[in-house]
Amino acid sequence: MRFRGGHNVLLKGRPDSAIKVMPEPKVLYMPLRSERFTFSDIHVKDGQKVNGGDILAKDPDNYSVPMLAPRAGTVRLEAVENHIVIEDVAQREERADIVEEEMLHIEKEMGAGGIKRYKLLSLGAWQFFYDAFTGELPDPLGTPQAIIVSTLSLEPFLARGDVQLHRRLLNFTRGLEQLQSLLEYQPIYLAMPNITSEFANLIRNQIRGYAWVKMLEIPLKYPYDNFAVLARRLDLKAGKGPVWAVRTEGILAADRALTETKPCTVRILSIGGTGVNFPSHLKAIPGYPLKRIRDQHVFEPAARMLNGGILTGSILSEEAQGVDVECRGITVLPEHIDREFLGFVRPGWDRDSYSGCFLSSLRKDFRERMTTALRGEGRPCVACNYCDEVCPAGIMPYLIHKYLYADLIEEVEQARVDLCVECGLCSYVCPSKIDLRTQFVEAKDLIAKEKEEIRQEQLRQEEARKREEEARKQAEENNE
Ligand code: SF4
Ligand code: SF4
């Protein structure tokens, strides 16, 4: 397997492997939106008492993936905009909110495999699954051509697989077995870091007996853990059916849902970055108040919080009150408000740069203390080619940027912007501070929208043609 591009992003604030259990909250704020889901189909009423594991809402556009109540409490629908609030939170035994009649019907129609898929979806495990090519939620009733399981998380500062696997290796292998029982002959690829450590060796030994698991040893370079990159490197073709992709936490959730028939409501999140006093991992539940996390972990009075890692995370808006159901980590960067003494000289002894233009290139590898500062001024592309060097998708980001600047959408499409895996590495290394990733995400959306409009127009024309044809035939019959 050959990789291209990539870069080892070294930054201070990496979460250590400790997992801190967050104290129980009194109120939960469940955001109705996350990266992929919009829970618009609300299943509870204002004032209703719920148990942990009850379905609060579903996303009708994503196979009705549910949002589960992580704890018992009283529902408030109007208290905070775009959130379901649970007050008087109590930790009672969770229950599986599954409908027996539906289960009987599914068993009759689809057998034991159908029941497993139903449980994965209704107990909250399916939301950890991705389509490797599109990043979307795959069809839970579909048949994949392969499954990619990744124990890696290479984007700073997201929750790491090795931390989540600690003391849960048995659950992990059981989860893999559960997944395998849904397949006929399709392979499961397990991506592992190509390092020698006691823990990595333990996993290798554990998996050795599973002939149906194919091991992939991955160099620790961002973004070689990206599912689209892995699928391409494995030579899997999108035309041959979906490739399911899932990380460590998804396999653990599958084990919980299928072995224990219990809802999957607990998350291991990371809290990292240079604005955090002790970067680590947190055991928390969706809806956990962000303010409490901030009060306990962020020491910088002025800090920017991101939902996700440093390269692909999005700024947590003022509106967001709680951890959303897809959150894998929170990154905190100090706001850069002070002017730097002799900043214009920029010797860069403490600045890491892909170009090696700072004095720091004389130092050995070190972790830079990143802030929100732009570190230089935005300027036009200087054709340095760094974005091309690091791009794992084999496209030319600077060329696509130039086409976009000139509004040449057809050329953008021909330059294969669709292959961009949105890793953000081009934006990170660009010395001109061009936010290439955002430009490409928007361009892909625009092209997809235009294609959909053309498809709809063709459908309309086809319908009109059929109607005319029928009217003509009818008129001929009447005349006869
Ligand atoms: S063009 Fe896309 S895939 Fe390539 S480095 Fe940039 S964000 Fe990543
Ligand atoms: S890294 Fe930035 S400046 Fe360099 S070629 Fe790419 S877009 Fe241009």
Side-chain angles (χ1 to χ4, degrees):
M1 204 163 57
R2 210 170 42 81
F3 289 95
R4 93 176 284 288
H7 178 54
N8 203 0
V9 181
L10 291 176
L11 294 172
K12 266 191 185 164
R14 183 175 187 256
D16 67 20
S17 49
I19 299 181
K20 294 180 187 156
V21 181
M22 292 301 289
E24 278 297 305
K26 290 193 173 65
V27 182
L28 290 173
Y29 303 91
M30 311 284 299
L32 290 173
R33 283 204 193 95
S34 62
E35 197 184 339
R36 290 177 298 169
F37 308 135
T38 302
F39 297 100
S40 56
D41 182 11
I42 309 289
H43 279 233
V44 283
K45 293 195 178 78
D46 193 56
Q48 185 177 327
K49 303 258 187 247
V50 289
N51 276 320
D54 282 359
I55 294 174
L56 297 174
K58 289 184 179 178
D59 177 352
D61 296 328
N62 272 301
Y63 309 101
S64 291
V65 68
M67 175 204 273
L68 303 177
R71 293 281 183 268
T74 309
V75 167
R76 295 282 167 230
L77 294 181
E78 309 292 337
V80 179
E81 207 177 344
N82 294 324
H83 290 69
I84 291 181
V85 175
I86 302 180
E87 292 178 348
D88 310 322
V89 169
Q91 193 174 13
R92 294 195 212 109
E93 196 172 349
E94 296 170 310
R95 60 169 206 180
D97 194 354
I98 46 184
V99 185
E100 287 299 328
E101 283 164 30
E102 211 168 327
M103 293 259 280
L104 287 174
H105 176 70
I106 291 170
E107 192 164 25
K108 228 172 165 183
E109 295 280 310
M110 302 175 64
I115 294 283
K116 286 191 175 185
R117 288 163 188 255
Y118 173 73
K119 281 188 182 173
L120 282 176
L121 183 67
S122 349
L123 297 176
W126 193 248
Q127 55 188 248
F128 292 97
F129 284 68
Y130 297 80
D131 179 303
F133 297 112
T134 63
E136 301 294 327
L137 190 77
D139 181 353
L141 299 181
T143 308
Q145 55 169 309
I147 301 182
I148 301 175
V149 177
S150 174
T151 58
L152 291 107
S153 195
L154 299 177
E155 180 179 356
F157 304 92
L158 288 178
R160 302 204 309 274
D162 59 331
V163 175
Q164 305 194 52
L165 272 181
H166 195 60
R167 295 209 203 122
R168 297 176 79 192
L169 199 47
L170 198 68
N171 304 63
F172 184 74
T173 48
R174 221 166 44 190
L176 284 178
E177 284 169 18
Q178 291 283 13
L179 216 52
Q180 198 267 341
S181 69
L182 294 176
L183 306 174
E184 287 174 18
Y185 52 82
Q186 299 91 337
I188 295 181
Y189 296 100
L190 179 66
M192 294 254 315
N194 67 347
I195 51 166
T196 320
S197 74
E198 209 179 308
F199 193 61
N201 289 341
L202 195 66
I203 300 175
R204 282 188 196 100
N205 288 337
Q206 195 86 10
I207 298 297
R208 203 152 280 155
Y210 295 180
W212 37 271
V213 176
K214 296 179 194 299
M215 298 281 275
L216 299 175
E217 305 257 337
I218 307 292
L220 288 177
K221 216 178 187 188
Y222 181 78
Y224 291 172
D225 59 331
N226 182 290
F227 291 133
V229 171
L230 289 173
R232 283 177 207 160
R233 295 298 153 245
L234 285 165
D235 216 15
L236 300 168
K237 303 275 184 286
K240 289 191 176 166
V243 173
W244 291 355
V246 57
R247 297 188 183 87
T248 312
E249 55 271 32
I251 298 295
L252 295 172
D255 172 54
R256 186 171 163 82
L258 298 183
T259 310
E260 301 174 44
T261 313
K262 284 193 174 163
C264 311
T265 49
V266 177
R267 301 281 184 279
I268 305 290
L269 321 173
S270 56
I271 175 122
T274 35
V276 177
N277 40 19
F278 298 108
S280 60
H281 288 75
L282 310 176
K283 191 172 180 182
I285 45 182
Y288 200 90
L290 287 168
K291 185 176 178 309
R292 261 183 104 167
I293 295 180
R294 190 183 176 117
D295 290 348
Q296 283 196 12
H297 294 91
V298 180
F299 69 88
E300 288 277 347
R304 192 178 297 178
M305 289 174 81
L306 307 181
N307 188 0
I310 187 95
L311 280 95
T312 60
S314 51
I315 296 176
L316 269 167
S317 67
E318 291 284 307
E319 187 195 63
Q321 302 280 317
V323 169
D324 73 46
V325 297
E326 290 192 273
C327 181
R328 293 173 56 215
I330 294 170
T331 301
V332 186
L333 295 179
E335 284 287 1
H336 185 79
I337 37 181
D338 298 331
R339 279 188 71 124
E340 267 180 80
F341 179 60
L342 290 183
F344 61 94
V345 180
R346 286 206 285 271
W349 182 248
D350 55 353
R351 287 173 188 169
D352 186 30
S353 160
Y354 182 80
S355 64
C357 67
F358 292 144
L359 263 183
S360 64
S361 58
L362 300 172
R363 294 173 68 180
K364 276 195 182 161
D365 277 353
F366 70 100
R367 291 183 180 271
E368 181 185 342
R369 186 177 188 276
M370 182 99 155
T371 69
T372 57
L374 203 53
R375 305 186 308 159
E377 51 292 319
R379 59 181 172 182
C381 170
V382 293
C384 64
N385 207 37
Y386 297 151
C387 54
D388 182 27
E389 278 174 24
V390 297
C391 177
I395 52 178
M396 288 185 268
Y398 63 88
L399 189 65
I400 299 176
H401 162 70
K402 281 181 186 164
Y403 287 149
L404 281 170
Y405 191 69
D407 229 357
L408 300 170
I409 290 295
E410 257 177 53
E411 282 77 356
V412 169
E413 206 180 340
Q414 281 160 10
R416 300 300 308 269
V417 72
D418 60 306
L419 291 179
C420 168
V421 299
E422 301 173 17
C423 66
L425 204 47
C426 50
S427 310
Y428 180 76
V429 300
C430 177
S432 293
K433 321 293 171 201
I434 301 170
D435 190 358
L436 298 157
R437 177 182 180 266
T438 306
Q439 291 180 5
F440 301 164
V441 171
E442 286 171 3
K444 286 204 296 184
D445 281 353
L446 182 75
I447 291 168
K449 221 187 245 168
E450 279 181 2
K451 280 191 174 165
E452 182 56 23
E453 275 170 19
I454 292 170
R455 199 181 69 85
Q456 292 293 345
E457 184 53 35
Q458 282 170 343
L459 279 178
R460 268 196 296 274
Q461 284 178 7
E462 181 66 13
E463 292 277 306
R465 196 190 57 73
K466 274 187 193 159
R467 273 199 304 275
E468 268 176 31
E469 182 74 8
E470 271 169 25
R472 191 182 56 76
K473 274 189 191 157
Q474 190 67 47
E476 277 175 9
E477 278 172 21
N478 291 347
N479 287 342
E480 280 169 15

